[in-house]
Amino acid sequence: MNWQIRQAVLSDIEWLVRVDPIAAKDHGRRVQIERAVGTGECWVACGTKDPSVPIGYGCLDKSFFGEWFIPLVVVSNVHRRSGAGRQIVAHLEHCSSARKIFTSTNTSNT
């Protein structure tokens, strides 16, 4: 499926918290989402039929020693394995116009 990717807006925050299973339990993650949206460093994936409802999101910043870094890519459980995560990352790569982008993963990403 092809997803519409757009920059996140403040009204997306509640949806992003619902999509992200960690944000529902961890206030720090919610703060991270709010900061990324507020600074224009967050993009959301939405279905083409309802572009107001995010099914996933990704963040892009220059927090890794001044280099482009993708700290978060989250896709709702229902939409995993749909290509949404891959499309989010491709969009972030395009937004950075960088020759290299860093990211990492952690043990909660099984």
Side-chain angles (χ1 to χ4, degrees), residues 34-100:
E34 290 172 349
R35 184 200 56 76
V37 172
T39 58
E41 297 174 341
C42 183
W43 286 262
V44 297
C46 303
T48 54
K49 292 181 183 175
D50 194 353
S52 66
V53 179
I55 57 91
Y57 72 95
C59 300
L60 176 70
D61 61 35
K62 291 191 98 175
S63 64
F64 187 70
F65 300 102
E67 299 288 344
W68 287 107
F69 182 64
I70 299 173
L72 284 172
V73 174
V74 176
V75 176
S76 72
N77 286 336
V78 174
H79 294 93
R80 290 194 179 156
R81 313 284 307 157
S82 70
R86 184 175 291 122
Q87 194 171 340
I88 291 167
V89 170
H91 185 82
L92 297 176
E93 289 174 339
H94 177 76
C95 288
S96 75
S97 67
R99 293 181 56 184
K100 61 183 174 181

